Amino acid sequence: MPLPQSFVEATERRIRVRLADEVVADTLRALLLVQYGPGALPTDYIPASDVRPGVLVDEARATDGRRQWSVVCKSARADGAAWTHENPTGDFASLE
């Protein structure tokens, strides 16, 4: 049985991301990415301009065109917690 097609849609919710009791991202412009399949969970995509400066560190490039970062705040660290697509296409084209 084929899986439903992935999609991206705007959300009207305010999204705040906290790490170590500090807000590291705050947006009213989030997009909801919904993918289907093993390990695929709905994901809020937050514009980089709505992420607090200096919290994204240790950039790495994945083979699938994604850029990935760890998020740090105070003494807390979330490895691989933030990502973006360099040149999104198809279902992901709106994730710029």
Side-chain angles (χ1 to χ4, degrees):
M1 175 183 203
L3 295 172
Q5 185 159 347
S6 301
F7 64 92
V8 177
E9 66 182 20
T11 179
E12 295 180 10
R13 296 181 303 142
R14 181 178 191 174
I15 304 295
R16 286 188 183 139
V17 179
R18 293 180 182 272
L19 182 63
D21 292 325
E22 295 282 331
V23 175
V24 295
D26 189 355
T27 190
L28 293 170
R29 303 179 301 142
L31 297 173
L32 178 64
L33 166 62
V34 178
Q35 301 179 84
Y36 298 93
L41 297 172
T43 304
D44 286 309
Y45 185 85
I46 298 170
S49 59
D50 292 341
V51 177
R52 193 166 106 190
V55 299
L56 301 179
V57 299
D58 300 335
E59 179 181 345
R61 293 181 186 271
T63 57
D64 63 0
R66 289 187 308 156
R67 293 167 54 197
Q68 189 171 4
W69 294 268
S70 294
V71 181
V72 296
C73 185
K74 297 183 179 178
S75 61
R77 180 181 183 96
D79 289 324
W83 59 267
T84 188
H85 279 278
E86 290 259 333
N87 297 302
T89 60
D91 298 332
F92 307 109
S94 59
L95 300 177
E96 295 184 29

